[in-house]
Every structure is written in C-alpha cells, then in structure tokens.
Amino acid sequence: MAKFEYAITKKTIERKLAEGRCQHEGSDYKPWLMVHELPSRGRSHVVYHTKYDRECHLLSDGEYNLWLYLTFSPQVTDVREQYALSPQIETLAIAEQLNIPHPKHPKTKYPIMMTTDFLVTMKTDVKTRFLAISYKSSKELNKKRVLEKLEIERRFWENRKITWQIVTEKEIDKTIINNIKKFIPYVSWDDTKITVKKLSAIRNWLTEHVLQEEMPLKEILKMCDLKYNSEAGTAQRVVLHLLATGYWQIDLYQALNNTKILRLKNQAKLED
C-alpha cells in the first residue's frame, strides 16, 4: 500500500472524487494516486505513451515492467493505473465481513481509498472485457496483512463479475521487458533535423526492405542512412520509434539483435 505525503481525511477523498479521479477512460483518465503525491519517489515512474495520450503513474519498478508488458499487448486498448475501489463503503463492508481491519492513514486513522494497480481494457473481434490486476513482489505474498488487503480487493472485483488476478515478477518475461525498454524512449519523435516528409520516406523505405530483404537489420540500417544522407544511427532511431509506437510489431520473446534478420509480425503498410 502506498504511503502518502499528505493526511488522508474525508475532505481529501471528496476532493479527489470532485477532480474526477478514476471516473474516465483513455486520455481523460486521472489515477487516484499520482507520483508527486507520494513522499518516496525513488523507484516510481511517470511515463507517456501515445496509446493512452497521457502520463501514467507507476509506483514501483515492478508496476512499470507490468505496464510495459500490458501496453505492448495487442489486445489491450487501455490501462488505468491506481484505480480506486469506489465507493469506499463497499471495501469497508467487505473488511467488516472478513473481520479484518480496513487500511487507514497512520496519522489521521481515517480509512484510505483502496486501489487496484491496473484496470485493463481488452478488445477482441467478439467483445470488450476488463481485467483487474494487482502487482506484488512474490516475497510480499508471504505476509498475512498483504493477503488480507488482497482479499478485500478480490471480493470487490468479484462483486462486479470482473476477473481479478495477482501478478508477480515471476510472470513477467525478462526478454520482453528488456526489448521494450530499448525502444520505449523513442515513442515520441523529437529529432528536429528530420522533417516529417523525410521521416515518412525513411519509414516507408525501411518497412519495404525489412519485409522483403533477407539480410541482418544492421545492413539495412547502413543502406538507409547512406540513401538518405542521414547522420549515422538515424535509421536505427526510426526503427526504435516504429517499434515504440506499434507501427511495427515483432516477436518480443526474441531478443532484439541488429546482427539478425528482423521479422515483422504485422504487415506494416506503406504511407504516402
């Protein structure tokens, strides 16, 4: 459970509800907990991605890794982090039924608004479904108090007939996360030396040649930089940008390696 840099009172909760926290989706979503509201921010992350068109607030490295995994899952269309278990009266009632104490602020002793780490929207050709996920370090699952709070969370989502699950670091593939961390910094293109027209031309040329040529990626990158008289490494950055934005999709279970042929999973289309 997160620690707060401010006292939790009834007014605090009412203010956040009035701000619209956890009441919208997509780019309009505001998480219940934000990084700047916490006293310790050493392992927290505030990250932007075009998929959501907003900053996302992750409170630990584990949450960040899981967020990366979810963000680059094709079926996932939205991820709402630090999602409030509201109305609070429901978690209070569940805690009473279980005969366990509801989480409270250590100073004010006022019940805090419990949250789920992620509420995920997943879409298939058939339907849209939701998945609630709580991230926990595997070591934490040995603690009685942690399990008590998780049971409150589980029952909250069970009442809504929404699947809830716990994910630990053991369920997150390291190769996938290492791959994503290589290209996530390039989700936004801010190289002013490359015009939009030139970027589009490079993207189309790279897409065509990666799809057609049976040669290591590094050779294609060299050819591209020479063709467009670009600074060395430009084509590499474009490739990372295409991966970060999802324009190109690859098998993330295979480590990115420029010395090998890059296989695209999706048939990226050329654009004018």
Side-chain angles (χ1 to χ4, degrees):
M1 189 67 65
K3 296 180 180 179
F4 307 91
E5 70 172 11
Y6 54 86
I8 299 296
T9 64
K10 182 179 180 180
K11 287 185 178 180
T12 307
I13 291 175
E14 289 176 344
R15 173 179 59 79
K16 287 193 172 188
L17 290 172
E19 290 174 359
R21 303 273 186 116
C22 303
Q23 296 172 40
H24 303 284
E25 300 180 40
S27 61
D28 294 324
Y29 178 74
K30 295 179 181 179
W32 189 260
L33 301 174
M34 296 184 180
V35 167
H36 68 269
E37 297 171 333
L38 307 176
S40 177
R41 308 171 194 173
R43 306 308 305 175
S44 58
H45 304 262
V46 180
V47 289
Y48 171 85
H49 196 276
T50 53
K51 191 171 192 175
Y52 316 120
D53 192 25
R54 66 177 180 85
E55 288 185 336
C56 301
H57 293 250
L58 299 317
L59 307 186
S60 68
D61 287 339
E63 283 190 16
Y64 176 58
N65 289 343
L66 180 53
W67 178 87
L68 290 174
Y69 183 87
L70 294 169
T71 296
F72 287 91
S73 299
Q75 289 186 336
V76 171
T77 58
D78 196 14
V79 175
R80 286 173 277 177
E81 77 281 10
Q82 323 309 336
Y83 191 87
L85 305 189
S86 180
Q88 188 184 56
I89 190 172
E90 188 170 339
T91 56
L92 288 166
I94 293 171
E96 185 176 358
Q97 292 165 9
L98 294 171
N99 196 29
I100 59 176
H102 189 282
K104 298 179 180 179
H105 188 273
K107 292 184 179 179
T108 65
K109 305 303 179 184
Y110 193 84
I112 68 169
M113 179 71 78
M114 295 186 66
T115 59
T116 284
D117 295 327
F118 300 105
L119 180 59
V120 182
T121 305
M122 306 178 71
K123 289 188 178 180
T124 64
D125 293 337
V126 180
K127 62 180 180 179
T128 297
R129 70 184 186 94
F130 299 99
L131 174 65
I133 302 177
S134 179
Y135 176 85
K136 285 288 180 284
S137 163
S138 56
K139 293 180 180 179
E140 290 186 90
L141 298 181
N142 296 320
K143 299 176 182 178
K144 179 183 176 182
R145 183 54 179 155
V146 169
L147 295 177
E148 287 178 345
K149 290 186 284 189
L150 287 173
E151 180 59 16
I152 296 175
E153 200 174 330
R154 184 190 73 78
R155 294 200 182 195
F156 177 91
W157 291 112
E158 182 180 60
N159 291 343
R160 283 158 176 72
K161 295 181 170 55
I162 290 178
T163 301
W164 172 84
Q165 68 181 64
I166 301 170
V167 173
T168 73
E169 75 282 357
K170 294 180 180 180
E171 284 78 56
I172 302 175
D173 188 278
K174 291 182 179 179
T175 300
I176 290 178
I177 300 307
N178 289 337
N179 281 337
I180 295 173
K181 285 181 177 178
K182 288 179 181 177
F183 54 71
I184 191 69
Y186 297 88
V187 67
S188 297
W189 186 263
D190 54 9
D191 187 345
T192 57
K193 297 178 183 177
I194 306 296
T195 64
V196 173
K197 184 176 181 180
K198 185 174 182 179
L199 176 61
S200 178
I202 293 174
R203 178 187 61 215
N204 286 344
W205 189 94
L206 283 170
T207 300
E208 180 181 357
H209 284 74
V210 168
L211 286 172
Q212 296 179 1
E213 302 291 347
E214 290 290 315
M215 64 173 62
L217 179 60
K218 68 176 184 179
E219 300 301 329
I220 295 176
L221 297 178
K222 288 179 183 178
M223 292 165 55
C224 185
D225 283 340
L226 287 172
K227 176 177 176 58
Y228 289 95
N229 193 28
S230 301
E231 179 182 291
T234 298
Q236 175 74 76
R237 294 196 300 276
V238 174
V239 165
L240 296 173
H241 176 65
L242 296 176
L243 292 171
T245 56
Y247 184 82
W248 281 5
Q249 293 176 19
I250 59 173
D251 182 0
L252 291 171
Y253 286 97
Q254 302 296 320
L256 279 172
N257 188 336
N258 282 1
T259 66
K260 297 182 178 180
I261 297 172
L262 183 65
R263 305 287 186 188
L264 301 186
K265 290 179 67 175
N266 65 323
Q267 294 297 309
K269 296 180 181 180
L270 303 182
E271 298 181 3
D272 295 333

